[in-house]
Amino acid sequence: MSVKPGKARKLNYLSQLSVDTAHHVITDIQAYHAEGKDNQYLEDISNRLKKRLHGQGLIWRNCLADTGYSSGENYAFLESEGLRSFIPPHGTYKGGPDGFTYDKSQDYYTCPQGKIIPFKKEFIEKKNNTRKKEYRASKRVCIGCPIRSECLGKSAQEKKFTVTFYRAEYERNNVRVNSSEGRYMKSKRQSTVEPVFGTLTQFMGLRKINTIGIAQANKVMHLSAMAYNLKKYLKFIGKTVKSDAQGMHHFVLELKASISLQIRPLTALNI
């Protein structure tokens, strides 16, 4: 069951698709139940895809995806696999409160008034089942602070906030995303994956699956991907054959010209 704001509930499958940026070949496709989020399936996709590519002697270096696949867990997983992520973070991500600076070596924050907010504990947030770190100052630190009412609000006695456990992984990913290479990668992803999705849904009938069960849905998706890749292969072979024929034609012309040049001096010498 898929639920989207402002739209009716529907029985859907979630199609996850990976595409090679060099030739727009579908390298992996899988159907999942639609109640999950995209970022929950990235690890499964990556494990399956990496094994397949390595089996063909292909090296995978970069992972391009949209914001739906963003999570600290995914960034950390991709780094452990030796992959560079280019996945824009969610708009809600912050490396800490506004105006606070982070000290990586001592793992604490400094507030705008120069007071230290130390790390207190690590925990799992139940709402999203995500790993978090809590930072909290003591009451005496915040007493008498000139910006106390703005910083703490009405009821709080001390400054307390949580930050994702994977802050370092987020920051490294964000540096890549905001670089010139990251901007290029974003345009590359948009021109690679989106057209493939459009072809599958608009021209190959994947807007609806007329089967029962996720296993049958996967068969339909795999057959569609096979048909798509076969068309790409035939098109590529056609270009290769045409270019080979043109190359052979030019070779023959050059060979004839070379023979002609060699014959003419000999004829002149004989005369």
Side-chain angles (χ1 to χ4, degrees):
M1 181 72 72
S2 62
V3 181
K4 290 186 177 180
K7 294 186 178 181
R9 295 171 181 264
K10 290 185 178 180
L11 292 172
N12 291 326
Y13 292 113
L14 185 64
S15 175
Q16 298 291 343
L17 178 71
S18 61
V19 181
D20 167 49
T21 58
H23 300 289
H24 295 198
V25 173
I26 297 175
T27 53
D28 186 78
I29 190 169
Q30 187 78 8
Y32 295 93
H33 292 295
E35 72 266 19
K37 297 180 179 179
D38 287 337
N39 60 23
Q40 296 174 333
Y41 304 118
L42 182 63
E43 184 173 342
D44 182 52
I45 297 168
S46 177
N47 289 333
R48 187 171 55 248
L49 179 57
K50 194 170 186 178
K51 182 179 179 180
R52 180 180 298 116
L53 294 178
H54 283 195
Q56 298 297 321
L58 300 174
I59 299 175
W60 182 21
R61 298 188 185 278
N62 302 316
C63 179
L64 286 63
D66 61 25
T67 305
Y69 296 87
S70 170
S71 75
E73 290 80 3
N74 284 342
Y75 296 145
F77 167 75
L78 292 173
E79 285 190 3
S80 69
E81 292 292 304
L83 297 170
R84 298 196 307 159
S85 62
F86 291 86
I87 307 175
H90 287 290
T92 57
Y93 168 75
K94 288 185 178 181
D98 293 335
F100 285 60
T101 57
Y102 179 66
D103 187 299
K104 181 179 178 181
S105 60
Q106 301 295 323
D107 194 14
Y108 66 76
Y109 283 83
T110 303
C111 77
Q113 296 297 311
K115 304 297 183 180
I116 292 178
I117 316 297
F119 165 71
K120 288 297 182 179
K121 65 178 181 179
E122 176 188 329
F123 67 99
I124 301 296
E125 187 181 55
K126 294 182 179 179
K127 181 180 179 181
N128 298 313
N129 195 34
T130 55
R131 200 173 177 185
K132 293 290 187 71
K133 297 175 72 174
E134 181 182 293
Y135 295 82
R136 186 175 70 249
S138 61
K139 292 182 180 180
R140 60 180 178 81
V141 170
C142 297
I143 292 176
C145 179
I147 61 171
R148 175 186 173 90
S149 59
E150 300 174 11
C151 185
L152 300 183
K154 297 181 179 179
S155 59
Q157 298 297 313
E158 71 278 337
K159 185 64 176 179
K160 181 175 69 173
F161 56 89
T162 61
V163 178
T164 175
F165 179 83
Y166 301 99
R167 182 185 187 278
E169 288 80 359
Y170 263 100
E171 295 299 325
R172 286 192 290 269
N173 172 80
N174 291 351
V175 169
R176 289 191 294 270
V177 168
N178 295 321
S179 66
S180 57
E181 183 183 13
R183 291 188 290 273
Y184 168 78
M185 289 294 190
K186 180 180 179 180
S187 63
K188 194 72 172 175
R189 183 192 64 79
Q190 291 174 338
S191 62
T192 300
V193 180
E194 301 302 334
V196 176
F197 263 118
T199 300
L200 291 177
T201 56
Q202 301 299 325
F203 300 105
M204 304 188 73
L206 276 189
R207 292 182 67 86
K208 292 185 178 180
I209 298 291
N210 297 320
T211 58
I212 299 176
I214 196 168
Q216 296 299 317
N218 268 307
K219 288 182 180 180
V220 174
M221 291 186 182
H222 291 157
L223 286 171
S224 298
M226 289 169 61
Y228 177 90
N229 284 345
L230 183 58
K231 290 181 68 177
K232 295 286 292 185
Y233 178 72
L234 292 174
K235 187 176 181 180
F236 176 77
I237 291 297
K239 288 182 178 179
T240 303
V241 172
K242 185 176 180 181
S243 62
D244 288 347
Q246 290 176 345
M248 182 60 69
H249 177 67
H250 290 304
F251 173 75
V252 172
L253 292 178
E254 290 177 2
L255 182 61
K256 287 181 178 179
S258 176
I259 293 174
S260 176
L261 289 172
Q262 292 177 15
I263 290 175
R264 285 176 183 174
L266 291 175
T267 304
L269 288 174
N270 288 336
I271 292 173

